[in-house]
Amino acid sequence: MMHHLIVLPVLLPLLSGLLMLVKRDSIVLPRRAIALASTAALLVISVVLVIQSDSGEITYYALGDWQPPFGIVLVLDRLSALMVCLTAFLALGSVAYACAGDDRKGSNFHGLFQLQLMGINGAFLTGDMFNLFVFFEVLLIASYSLLMHGGGKDRTQAGFHYVALNLAGSAMFLIALGVLYGTTGTLNMADMSQKVAALDPDRLGLIKAGAFLLLVVFGLKAAILPLYFWLPRAYSSAPAPVAALFAIMTKVGIYAILRVYTLIFGGGAGELANFVQPWLWWFALATLALGGLGVLSARDLRNQVAYLILISVGTLLVGVSMNREAPLAAVLYYMIHTTLVSGGLFLLADAIGEQRGKAGARIVPGRGVTQPALLGLFYFVGAVTVIGLPPLSGAIGKALLLNAALPSEQPWLWSLLLLSSLAGLVAMARSGSTVFWKAGRGDSDGPRLKPAMLAGLILLLGASPALSILAGPVTRFTDASATQLLDHDAYAEAVLSGNVAGGDS
Amino acid sequence: MEALYATVTGFLAASGLYLALRGRTFPVVVGLTLLSYAVNLFLFSTGGLTTNGAAVIREGVTHYADPLPQALVLTAIVIGFAMTAFSVILAMRVRGDQGSDQVNDQRGEEPKEEKS
């Protein structure tokens, strides 16, 4: 029974998403109950998966009992378990927030939300390149509709840009897959990693082109420098709970980069070993620098958070491109922190905008919020941790990463990471003082935080203090994940050795 | 045959790319569709081009075609259809919401700039 657990993070959201299609009338209560129950169950399952993966054993689930390298497999290792758990936690916060009323603004919010969770979980768990593409499409098509949930001019236009760009991205993904399949003759990631190592030198150029094309596709999802222009507009026009969930979407791209370029084109790839990382280093640094400039230029709280996400993407990719155990462990810790906190900040920006009436989330002096103490406290916690001031989790993540840099990397990494944090500090301080201090009196009869909104905010922003208290166990897990990630031979052996974990043979 | 196939695929991709870079929504949608056709053709050819090859293993047959790209292309076609349908609807929605079919319509943003 236990080995079927791996497939549940994909099946459960699919089933509950389908269930919500049955009765699509205006009574929203049953759907809310299903959504909350399913997301909470997902969290429980993913915690069990994390515990299971912590034994250090890599297990796989062969769908339909077709054994690798021919069948499609779902692979559970520490990294994928961690990402699924992170998704479930973030989703619980955003579903709780959406239950306060955002889900009524369009049809079938909860169903689409569950389908998007299915796509995200599938992308984290799969061990097959084409299956990765399919799950990318599942999560994208759900995100297209979620992005435009509630309608409005801004949303449809931002939505069209997002859709057109991602369709072009999907086309490139398929071309890259075709090239990789044509040269290696397999789509299973573990098998491909072994085929790449033993490749005919004549075909090196071809597979290199395929690998770079894949980097472009994943970079588009992760929003690296030349490919990030869709992000600020799409994220700041999405409804708040959706924008909060989108905080994990860039991480799907980063996860894919991490997986493909450590496993398939990692240390064991012969002549192609780690050839992408030096490129990634410079692009990531540039993203970091530009994110810092963008956060200063933002004139709207939601836009500001979108640029903060860009800074975090730069930070994460810098760590990924260093490709050693210590930076990777730091990156994984920082990833947990930044995903939850930026999700929480999107929710907070929406809550502030709702209480300020006409001024909305724009950073202009206007009417004060109805609950300045409560929202101010949330803003303070969120700002401190997202910038990386001690004692909250942002500081720990950034310190781990700074500490992991070699002397040759220090001048670039330290200066740019600290400067972009400074830019974040200035921007957050300025917008905080404008919104909370340069404001008139709030309307005491104005809209207040509903309990569901409060629950969502506490869950996501409260994760940061919790992460810094639990930093010991969490870093132990991320250290072990980074070690496991770099041990590509163990992964290939676990998947290809034929000791069946899935199916019932 | 390879040369013809490659030329056709390349031409389709080039036309799709050109149209996708246009400024109005309808050419963009058509361009993305052409691009996905080109990609499907390309994907189909990744197993090597064979004529009269068997896709399923049978006794006494030595000439085989790679069945996997055919399965992949089928999946890609289905997904491509869904995406095309979605983007057509979306393009119509953009047209309805903005009263123009420009991809980058700036008119909607002007009043917002004045306020801030």
Side-chain angles (χ1 to χ4, degrees):
Chain A
M1 185 54 217
M2 280 302 273
H3 56 242
H4 289 298
L5 212 58
I6 302 180
V7 77
L8 271 185
V10 181
L11 277 188
L12 183 71
L14 173 65
L15 291 178
S16 51
L18 289 181
L19 196 64
M20 280 184 253
L21 285 176
V22 176
K23 215 160 170 276
R24 294 171 52 186
D25 49 19
S26 57
I27 305 162
V28 78
L29 210 61
R31 282 206 291 275
R32 280 183 188 167
I34 297 173
L36 280 173
S38 151
T39 317
L42 195 63
L43 186 61
V44 174
I45 293 168
S46 62
V47 168
V48 175
L49 284 179
V50 167
I51 294 168
Q52 194 181 329
S53 74
D54 199 29
S55 68
E57 195 191 356
I58 297 172
T59 45
Y60 71 89
Y61 184 86
L63 292 161
D65 212 12
W66 292 93
Q67 291 305 315
F70 302 110
I72 291 171
V73 288
L74 300 180
V75 183
L76 180 79
D77 66 349
R78 285 197 178 94
L79 176 64
S80 49
L82 176 73
M83 297 308 291
V84 169
C85 187
L86 183 60
T87 310
F89 197 88
L90 181 72
L92 193 61
S94 9
V95 167
Y97 190 91
C99 284
D102 272 330
D103 54 353
R104 280 176 201 258
K105 288 180 186 156
S107 67
N108 212 4
F109 174 86
H110 288 298
L112 289 167
F113 196 91
Q114 293 296 321
L115 290 180
Q116 168 138 30
L117 284 184
M118 169 201 166
I120 296 174
N121 285 340
F124 287 143
L125 284 170
T126 185
D128 182 280
M129 289 304 278
F130 197 79
N131 203 224
L132 183 69
F133 165 76
V134 172
F135 278 123
F136 264 50
E137 292 304 304
V138 171
L139 76 89
L140 281 176
I141 200 157
S143 77
Y144 298 156
S145 340
L146 280 176
L147 179 62
M148 280 164 273
H149 175 80
K153 222 181 207 176
D154 252 14
R155 276 183 199 156
T156 40
Q157 201 180 22
F160 190 79
H161 292 177
Y162 179 72
V163 171
L165 210 60
N166 276 304
L167 284 181
S170 303
M172 281 197 288
F173 199 165
L174 279 176
I175 295 175
L177 282 184
V179 170
L180 290 186
Y181 177 75
T183 43
T184 62
T186 182
L187 286 167
N188 182 290
M189 291 185 195
D191 196 29
M192 198 184 273
S193 73
Q194 300 200 324
K195 293 272 162 54
V196 164
L199 203 67
D200 182 5
D202 289 354
R203 317 203 92 181
L204 276 184
L206 198 56
I207 201 162
K208 231 175 169 170
F212 271 124
L213 207 53
L214 264 189
L215 184 67
V216 173
V217 176
F218 296 151
L220 180 67
K221 306 276 186 272
I224 316 182
L225 172 68
L227 304 167
Y228 82 92
F229 298 98
W230 57 274
L231 184 138
R233 187 122 187 257
Y235 278 37
S236 49
S237 62
V242 176
L245 183 69
F246 277 16
I248 195 87
M249 295 264 282
T250 49
K251 276 71 183 179
V252 176
I254 293 172
Y255 165 84
I257 290 177
L258 202 53
R259 177 66 82 202
V260 168
Y261 297 104
T262 56
L263 177 65
I264 301 177
F265 303 104
E271 274 188 59
L272 291 174
N274 300 328
F275 74 103
V276 161
Q277 274 82 355
W279 292 79
L280 204 54
W281 166 256
W282 294 111
F283 283 118
L285 284 178
T287 312
L288 199 55
L290 216 84
L293 288 182
V295 87
L296 285 175
S297 75
R299 287 183 293 178
D300 182 291
L301 279 178
R302 303 162 59 106
N303 210 341
Q304 197 168 45
V305 183
Y307 276 107
L308 286 170
I309 285 197
L310 210 60
I311 295 185
S312 80
V313 166
T315 314
L316 291 170
L317 282 173
V318 162
V320 169
S321 72
M322 282 147 79
N323 201 34
R324 290 185 311 273
E325 216 171 297
L328 285 182
V331 157
L332 293 180
Y333 181 87
Y334 189 74
M335 177 127 72
I336 307 174
H337 145 80
T338 184
T339 308
L340 296 177
V341 167
S342 39
L345 281 174
F346 271 122
L347 299 184
L348 183 64
D350 181 68
I352 291 175
E354 198 166 289
Q355 295 198 356
R356 290 178 76 210
K358 254 176 85 180
R362 281 179 294 130
I363 307 171
V364 287
R367 196 171 85 187
V369 293
T370 320
Q371 294 164 293
L374 186 63
L375 287 185
L377 178 69
F378 277 129
Y379 185 87
F380 182 68
V381 170
V384 163
T385 184
V386 81
I387 299 157
L389 290 181
L392 294 178
S393 55
I396 301 176
K398 281 188 179 166
L400 285 172
L401 187 61
L402 292 175
N403 196 26
L406 292 179
S408 62
E409 295 161 340
Q410 276 169 5
W412 289 103
L413 178 66
W414 286 30
S415 57
L416 280 173
L417 188 59
L418 293 176
L419 274 179
S420 71
S421 304
L422 179 68
L425 176 80
V426 172
M428 291 302 271
R430 193 192 55 185
S431 55
S433 56
T434 310
V435 168
F436 289 102
W437 290 344
K438 277 194 206 155
R441 287 195 65 80
D443 182 0
S444 54
D445 305 325
R448 306 180 84 83
L449 275 187
K450 301 194 181 88
M453 294 165 115
L454 192 63
L457 281 172
I458 290 178
L459 210 57
L460 294 187
L461 287 177
S464 175
L467 257 182
S468 45
I469 294 168
L470 296 175
V474 174
T475 47
R476 211 169 307 128
F477 187 83
T478 53
D479 282 346
S481 311
T483 316
Q484 194 178 42
L485 194 60
L486 288 175
D487 192 0
H488 37 82
D489 288 332
Y491 184 99
E493 197 185 329
V495 175
L496 297 175
S497 62
N499 49 0
V500 182
D504 49 8
S505 51
Chain B
M1 185 167 68
E2 272 86 358
L4 182 65
Y5 196 96
T7 318
V8 169
T9 313
F11 188 72
L12 262 180
S15 323
L17 195 63
Y18 174 77
L19 284 177
L21 295 175
R22 304 270 80 195
R24 287 167 180 268
T25 50
F26 183 68
V28 170
V29 172
V30 175
L32 289 170
T33 314
L34 284 185
L35 199 59
S36 82
Y37 291 165
V39 168
N40 289 344
L41 282 177
F42 176 76
L43 206 57
F44 187 71
S45 69
T46 50
L49 294 174
T50 25
T51 44
N52 268 336
V56 182
I57 295 181
R58 254 191 312 172
E59 292 234 352
V61 179
T62 49
H63 185 56
Y64 285 110
D66 191 345
L68 192 67
Q70 303 178 16
L72 299 186
V73 111
L74 196 61
T75 317
I77 288 173
V78 174
I79 292 177
F81 261 135
M83 295 297 177
T84 308
F86 186 84
S87 52
V88 168
I89 297 293
L90 181 60
M92 285 166 65
R93 179 84 182 268
V94 171
R95 170 82 176 79
D97 277 1
Q98 294 175 0
S100 98
D101 61 351
Q102 296 290 323
V103 175
N104 274 318
D105 188 18
Q106 299 300 321
R107 282 181 298 172
E109 289 174 12
E110 276 163 18
K112 208 169 154 192
E113 299 286 316
E114 284 161 20
K115 260 190 273 170
S116 57

PDB file of all heavy atoms in Angstrom, chain A residues 41-67:
ATOM      1  N   ALA A  41      -5.391  17.146   2.881  1.00  0.00           N
ATOM      2  CA  ALA A  41      -4.967  15.751   2.721  1.00  0.00           C
ATOM      3  C   ALA A  41      -3.661  15.687   1.941  1.00  0.00           C
ATOM      4  O   ALA A  41      -2.764  14.898   2.254  1.00  0.00           O
ATOM      5  CB  ALA A  41      -6.053  14.954   2.007  1.00  0.00           C
ATOM      6  N   LEU A  42      -3.545  16.563   0.941  1.00  0.00           N
ATOM      7  CA  LEU A  42      -2.324  16.617   0.139  1.00  0.00           C
ATOM      8  C   LEU A  42      -1.120  16.953   1.021  1.00  0.00           C
ATOM      9  O   LEU A  42      -0.035  16.373   0.875  1.00  0.00           O
ATOM     10  CB  LEU A  42      -2.500  17.676  -0.944  1.00  0.00           C
ATOM     11  CG  LEU A  42      -1.517  17.643  -2.084  1.00  0.00           C
ATOM     12  CD1 LEU A  42      -1.671  16.349  -2.836  1.00  0.00           C
ATOM     13  CD2 LEU A  42      -1.760  18.817  -3.010  1.00  0.00           C
ATOM     14  N   LEU A  43      -1.355  17.892   1.947  1.00  0.00           N
ATOM     15  CA  LEU A  43      -0.265  18.276   2.850  1.00  0.00           C
ATOM     16  C   LEU A  43       0.165  17.087   3.705  1.00  0.00           C
ATOM     17  O   LEU A  43       1.364  16.815   3.865  1.00  0.00           O
ATOM     18  CB  LEU A  43      -0.712  19.448   3.725  1.00  0.00           C
ATOM     19  CG  LEU A  43       0.370  20.044   4.611  1.00  0.00           C
ATOM     20  CD1 LEU A  43       1.502  20.578   3.772  1.00  0.00           C
ATOM     21  CD2 LEU A  43      -0.194  21.151   5.471  1.00  0.00           C
ATOM     22  N   VAL A  44      -0.820  16.343   4.222  1.00  0.00           N
ATOM     23  CA  VAL A  44      -0.499  15.183   5.060  1.00  0.00           C
ATOM     24  C   VAL A  44       0.294  14.155   4.247  1.00  0.00           C
ATOM     25  O   VAL A  44       1.340  13.666   4.682  1.00  0.00           O
ATOM     26  CB  VAL A  44      -1.795  14.555   5.619  1.00  0.00           C
ATOM     27  CG1 VAL A  44      -1.478  13.267   6.360  1.00  0.00           C
ATOM     28  CG2 VAL A  44      -2.494  15.532   6.537  1.00  0.00           C
ATOM     29  N   ILE A  45      -0.212  13.862   3.031  1.00  0.00           N
ATOM     30  CA  ILE A  45       0.471  12.882   2.182  1.00  0.00           C
ATOM     31  C   ILE A  45       1.905  13.316   1.919  1.00  0.00           C
ATOM     32  O   ILE A  45       2.849  12.521   1.995  1.00  0.00           O
ATOM     33  CB  ILE A  45      -0.271  12.729   0.839  1.00  0.00           C
ATOM     34  CG1 ILE A  45      -1.637  12.098   1.064  1.00  0.00           C
ATOM     35  CG2 ILE A  45       0.537  11.883  -0.125  1.00  0.00           C
ATOM     36  CD1 ILE A  45      -2.520  12.179  -0.138  1.00  0.00           C
ATOM     37  N   SER A  46       2.065  14.620   1.606  1.00  0.00           N
ATOM     38  CA  SER A  46       3.404  15.061   1.235  1.00  0.00           C
ATOM     39  C   SER A  46       4.347  15.027   2.429  1.00  0.00           C
ATOM     40  O   SER A  46       5.541  14.766   2.267  1.00  0.00           O
ATOM     41  CB  SER A  46       3.356  16.447   0.613  1.00  0.00           C
ATOM     42  OG  SER A  46       2.871  17.372   1.532  1.00  0.00           O
ATOM     43  N   VAL A  47       3.818  15.264   3.632  1.00  0.00           N
ATOM     44  CA  VAL A  47       4.682  15.155   4.813  1.00  0.00           C
ATOM     45  C   VAL A  47       5.134  13.706   4.988  1.00  0.00           C
ATOM     46  O   VAL A  47       6.312  13.432   5.263  1.00  0.00           O
ATOM     47  CB  VAL A  47       3.949  15.670   6.070  1.00  0.00           C
ATOM     48  CG1 VAL A  47       4.715  15.296   7.322  1.00  0.00           C
ATOM     49  CG2 VAL A  47       3.780  17.168   5.993  1.00  0.00           C
ATOM     50  N   VAL A  48       4.193  12.761   4.781  1.00  0.00           N
ATOM     51  CA  VAL A  48       4.563  11.345   4.862  1.00  0.00           C
ATOM     52  C   VAL A  48       5.634  11.030   3.812  1.00  0.00           C
ATOM     53  O   VAL A  48       6.612  10.314   4.090  1.00  0.00           O
ATOM     54  CB  VAL A  48       3.321  10.451   4.661  1.00  0.00           C
ATOM     55  CG1 VAL A  48       3.725   8.982   4.628  1.00  0.00           C
ATOM     56  CG2 VAL A  48       2.325  10.682   5.761  1.00  0.00           C
ATOM     57  N   LEU A  49       5.469  11.599   2.609  1.00  0.00           N
ATOM     58  CA  LEU A  49       6.458  11.358   1.552  1.00  0.00           C
ATOM     59  C   LEU A  49       7.828  11.909   1.943  1.00  0.00           C
ATOM     60  O   LEU A  49       8.860  11.283   1.674  1.00  0.00           O
ATOM     61  CB  LEU A  49       6.004  11.998   0.239  1.00  0.00           C
ATOM     62  CG  LEU A  49       4.905  11.287  -0.534  1.00  0.00           C
ATOM     63  CD1 LEU A  49       4.563  12.057  -1.788  1.00  0.00           C
ATOM     64  CD2 LEU A  49       5.343   9.883  -0.888  1.00  0.00           C
ATOM     65  N   VAL A  50       7.834  13.082   2.571  1.00  0.00           N
ATOM     66  CA  VAL A  50       9.113  13.661   2.999  1.00  0.00           C
ATOM     67  C   VAL A  50       9.794  12.735   3.997  1.00  0.00           C
ATOM     68  O   VAL A  50      10.991  12.449   3.893  1.00  0.00           O
ATOM     69  CB  VAL A  50       8.904  15.061   3.615  1.00  0.00           C
ATOM     70  CG1 VAL A  50      10.141  15.517   4.343  1.00  0.00           C
ATOM     71  CG2 VAL A  50       8.536  16.055   2.537  1.00  0.00           C
ATOM     72  N   ILE A  51       8.988  12.230   4.952  1.00  0.00           N
ATOM     73  CA  ILE A  51       9.566  11.327   5.961  1.00  0.00           C
ATOM     74  C   ILE A  51      10.090  10.061   5.284  1.00  0.00           C
ATOM     75  O   ILE A  51      11.183   9.578   5.581  1.00  0.00           O
ATOM     76  CB  ILE A  51       8.509  10.983   7.027  1.00  0.00           C
ATOM     77  CG1 ILE A  51       8.145  12.249   7.803  1.00  0.00           C
ATOM     78  CG2 ILE A  51       9.021   9.918   7.984  1.00  0.00           C
ATOM     79  CD1 ILE A  51       6.936  12.112   8.666  1.00  0.00           C
ATOM     80  N   GLN A  52       9.295   9.558   4.325  1.00  0.00           N
ATOM     81  CA  GLN A  52       9.690   8.339   3.615  1.00  0.00           C
ATOM     82  C   GLN A  52      10.993   8.566   2.828  1.00  0.00           C
ATOM     83  O   GLN A  52      11.881   7.720   2.806  1.00  0.00           O
ATOM     84  CB  GLN A  52       8.560   7.942   2.670  1.00  0.00           C
ATOM     85  CG  GLN A  52       8.673   6.536   2.134  1.00  0.00           C
ATOM     86  CD  GLN A  52       7.530   6.242   1.181  1.00  0.00           C
ATOM     87  OE1 GLN A  52       6.423   6.771   1.325  1.00  0.00           O
ATOM     88  NE2 GLN A  52       7.781   5.420   0.195  1.00  0.00           N
ATOM     89  N   SER A  53      11.094   9.743   2.187  1.00  0.00           N
ATOM     90  CA  SER A  53      12.276   9.994   1.365  1.00  0.00           C
ATOM     91  C   SER A  53      13.506  10.251   2.218  1.00  0.00           C
ATOM     92  O   SER A  53      14.632  10.132   1.748  1.00  0.00           O
ATOM     93  CB  SER A  53      12.033  11.198   0.464  1.00  0.00           C
ATOM     94  OG  SER A  53      12.079  12.373   1.232  1.00  0.00           O
ATOM     95  N   ASP A  54      13.291  10.602   3.487  1.00  0.00           N
ATOM     96  CA  ASP A  54      14.432  10.954   4.327  1.00  0.00           C
ATOM     97  C   ASP A  54      15.287   9.745   4.687  1.00  0.00           C
ATOM     98  O   ASP A  54      16.380   9.884   5.231  1.00  0.00           O
ATOM     99  CB  ASP A  54      13.932  11.647   5.599  1.00  0.00           C
ATOM    100  CG  ASP A  54      15.051  12.432   6.258  1.00  0.00           C
ATOM    101  OD1 ASP A  54      15.950  12.891   5.525  1.00  0.00           O
ATOM    102  OD2 ASP A  54      15.032  12.578   7.489  1.00  0.00           O
ATOM    103  N   SER A  55      14.803   8.547   4.359  1.00  0.00           N
ATOM    104  CA  SER A  55      15.646   7.373   4.576  1.00  0.00           C
ATOM    105  C   SER A  55      16.833   7.378   3.616  1.00  0.00           C
ATOM    106  O   SER A  55      17.787   6.640   3.796  1.00  0.00           O
ATOM    107  CB  SER A  55      14.821   6.108   4.369  1.00  0.00           C
ATOM    108  OG  SER A  55      14.466   6.002   3.004  1.00  0.00           O
ATOM    109  N   GLY A  56      16.755   8.224   2.566  1.00  0.00           N
ATOM    110  CA  GLY A  56      17.858   8.313   1.618  1.00  0.00           C
ATOM    111  C   GLY A  56      17.689   7.381   0.437  1.00  0.00           C
ATOM    112  O   GLY A  56      18.454   7.432  -0.514  1.00  0.00           O
ATOM    113  N   GLU A  57      16.653   6.552   0.488  1.00  0.00           N
ATOM    114  CA  GLU A  57      16.426   5.624  -0.613  1.00  0.00           C
ATOM    115  C   GLU A  57      15.593   6.329  -1.685  1.00  0.00           C
ATOM    116  O   GLU A  57      14.656   7.065  -1.381  1.00  0.00           O
ATOM    117  CB  GLU A  57      15.661   4.406  -0.087  1.00  0.00           C
ATOM    118  CG  GLU A  57      15.690   3.231  -1.037  1.00  0.00           C
ATOM    119  CD  GLU A  57      14.694   2.147  -0.609  1.00  0.00           C
ATOM    120  OE1 GLU A  57      14.064   2.316   0.453  1.00  0.00           O
ATOM    121  OE2 GLU A  57      14.564   1.177  -1.328  1.00  0.00           O
ATOM    122  N   ILE A  58      15.980   6.123  -2.956  1.00  0.00           N
ATOM    123  CA  ILE A  58      15.201   6.705  -4.050  1.00  0.00           C
ATOM    124  C   ILE A  58      14.231   5.640  -4.545  1.00  0.00           C
ATOM    125  O   ILE A  58      14.652   4.573  -4.970  1.00  0.00           O
ATOM    126  CB  ILE A  58      16.113   7.163  -5.189  1.00  0.00           C
ATOM    127  CG1 ILE A  58      17.044   8.260  -4.693  1.00  0.00           C
ATOM    128  CG2 ILE A  58      15.307   7.648  -6.371  1.00  0.00           C
ATOM    129  CD1 ILE A  58      18.109   8.646  -5.665  1.00  0.00           C
ATOM    130  N   THR A  59      12.937   5.933  -4.442  1.00  0.00           N
ATOM    131  CA  THR A  59      11.953   4.936  -4.871  1.00  0.00           C
ATOM    132  C   THR A  59      11.227   5.458  -6.103  1.00  0.00           C
ATOM    133  O   THR A  59      11.134   6.660  -6.317  1.00  0.00           O
ATOM    134  CB  THR A  59      10.921   4.667  -3.768  1.00  0.00           C
ATOM    135  OG1 THR A  59      10.512   5.903  -3.226  1.00  0.00           O
ATOM    136  CG2 THR A  59      11.495   3.805  -2.689  1.00  0.00           C
ATOM    137  N   TYR A  60      10.740   4.540  -6.903  1.00  0.00           N
ATOM    138  CA  TYR A  60       9.973   4.996  -8.059  1.00  0.00           C
ATOM    139  C   TYR A  60       8.684   4.212  -8.160  1.00  0.00           C
ATOM    140  O   TYR A  60       8.526   3.141  -7.575  1.00  0.00           O
ATOM    141  CB  TYR A  60      10.780   4.872  -9.348  1.00  0.00           C
ATOM    142  CG  TYR A  60      11.015   3.464  -9.836  1.00  0.00           C
ATOM    143  CD1 TYR A  60      10.094   2.858 -10.677  1.00  0.00           C
ATOM    144  CD2 TYR A  60      12.152   2.762  -9.479  1.00  0.00           C
ATOM    145  CE1 TYR A  60      10.297   1.576 -11.128  1.00  0.00           C
ATOM    146  CE2 TYR A  60      12.361   1.481  -9.925  1.00  0.00           C
ATOM    147  CZ  TYR A  60      11.429   0.893 -10.751  1.00  0.00           C
ATOM    148  OH  TYR A  60      11.620  -0.379 -11.196  1.00  0.00           O
ATOM    149  N   TYR A  61       7.733   4.793  -8.908  1.00  0.00           N
ATOM    150  CA  TYR A  61       6.436   4.179  -9.112  1.00  0.00           C
ATOM    151  C   TYR A  61       6.251   4.011 -10.606  1.00  0.00           C
ATOM    152  O   TYR A  61       6.238   4.983 -11.345  1.00  0.00           O
ATOM    153  CB  TYR A  61       5.347   5.082  -8.532  1.00  0.00           C
ATOM    154  CG  TYR A  61       3.963   4.490  -8.603  1.00  0.00           C
ATOM    155  CD1 TYR A  61       3.502   3.644  -7.600  1.00  0.00           C
ATOM    156  CD2 TYR A  61       3.115   4.774  -9.657  1.00  0.00           C
ATOM    157  CE1 TYR A  61       2.249   3.097  -7.658  1.00  0.00           C
ATOM    158  CE2 TYR A  61       1.858   4.215  -9.722  1.00  0.00           C
ATOM    159  CZ  TYR A  61       1.424   3.381  -8.719  1.00  0.00           C
ATOM    160  OH  TYR A  61       0.176   2.834  -8.782  1.00  0.00           O
ATOM    161  N   ALA A  62       6.154   2.768 -11.052  1.00  0.00           N
ATOM    162  CA  ALA A  62       6.007   2.517 -12.485  1.00  0.00           C
ATOM    163  C   ALA A  62       4.530   2.511 -12.823  1.00  0.00           C
ATOM    164  O   ALA A  62       3.799   1.629 -12.397  1.00  0.00           O
ATOM    165  CB  ALA A  62       6.643   1.191 -12.849  1.00  0.00           C
ATOM    166  N   LEU A  63       4.075   3.516 -13.578  1.00  0.00           N
ATOM    167  CA  LEU A  63       2.660   3.613 -13.917  1.00  0.00           C
ATOM    168  C   LEU A  63       2.285   2.473 -14.854  1.00  0.00           C
ATOM    169  O   LEU A  63       2.976   2.220 -15.847  1.00  0.00           O
ATOM    170  CB  LEU A  63       2.368   4.957 -14.574  1.00  0.00           C
ATOM    171  CG  LEU A  63       2.520   6.137 -13.628  1.00  0.00           C
ATOM    172  CD1 LEU A  63       2.682   7.410 -14.401  1.00  0.00           C
ATOM    173  CD2 LEU A  63       1.333   6.218 -12.703  1.00  0.00           C
ATOM    174  N   GLY A  64       1.205   1.783 -14.531  1.00  0.00           N
ATOM    175  CA  GLY A  64       0.765   0.671 -15.363  1.00  0.00           C
ATOM    176  C   GLY A  64       1.728  -0.494 -15.311  1.00  0.00           C
ATOM    177  O   GLY A  64       1.653  -1.396 -16.127  1.00  0.00           O
ATOM    178  N   ASP A  65       2.657  -0.463 -14.351  1.00  0.00           N
ATOM    179  CA  ASP A  65       3.655  -1.514 -14.181  1.00  0.00           C
ATOM    180  C   ASP A  65       4.564  -1.687 -15.394  1.00  0.00           C
ATOM    181  O   ASP A  65       5.114  -2.763 -15.618  1.00  0.00           O
ATOM    182  CB  ASP A  65       2.979  -2.839 -13.813  1.00  0.00           C
ATOM    183  CG  ASP A  65       3.872  -3.670 -12.900  1.00  0.00           C
ATOM    184  OD1 ASP A  65       4.863  -3.096 -12.398  1.00  0.00           O
ATOM    185  OD2 ASP A  65       3.605  -4.853 -12.702  1.00  0.00           O
ATOM    186  N   TRP A  66       4.687  -0.679 -16.218  1.00  0.00           N
ATOM    187  CA  TRP A  66       5.672  -0.716 -17.307  1.00  0.00           C
ATOM    188  C   TRP A  66       6.999  -0.268 -16.738  1.00  0.00           C
ATOM    189  O   TRP A  66       7.127   0.863 -16.291  1.00  0.00           O
ATOM    190  CB  TRP A  66       5.251   0.217 -18.447  1.00  0.00           C
ATOM    191  CG  TRP A  66       4.040  -0.258 -19.153  1.00  0.00           C
ATOM    192  CD1 TRP A  66       2.749   0.082 -18.882  1.00  0.00           C
ATOM    193  CD2 TRP A  66       3.988  -1.157 -20.263  1.00  0.00           C
ATOM    194  NE1 TRP A  66       1.907  -0.557 -19.733  1.00  0.00           N
ATOM    195  CE2 TRP A  66       2.635  -1.327 -20.600  1.00  0.00           C
ATOM    196  CE3 TRP A  66       4.957  -1.845 -20.989  1.00  0.00           C
ATOM    197  CZ2 TRP A  66       2.220  -2.141 -21.636  1.00  0.00           C
ATOM    198  CZ3 TRP A  66       4.550  -2.652 -22.017  1.00  0.00           C
ATOM    199  CH2 TRP A  66       3.201  -2.808 -22.341  1.00  0.00           C
ATOM    200  N   GLN A  67       7.970  -1.168 -16.764  1.00  0.00           N
ATOM    201  CA  GLN A  67       9.223  -0.864 -16.061  1.00  0.00           C
ATOM    202  C   GLN A  67      10.091   0.107 -16.855  1.00  0.00           C
ATOM    203  O   GLN A  67      10.095   0.094 -18.084  1.00  0.00           O
ATOM    204  CB  GLN A  67       9.990  -2.158 -15.819  1.00  0.00           C
ATOM    205  CG  GLN A  67       9.308  -3.069 -14.805  1.00  0.00           C
ATOM    206  CD  GLN A  67       9.055  -2.353 -13.485  1.00  0.00           C
ATOM    207  OE1 GLN A  67       9.931  -1.674 -12.980  1.00  0.00           O
ATOM    208  NE2 GLN A  67       7.860  -2.478 -12.942  1.00  0.00           N
TER     209      GLN A  67
END
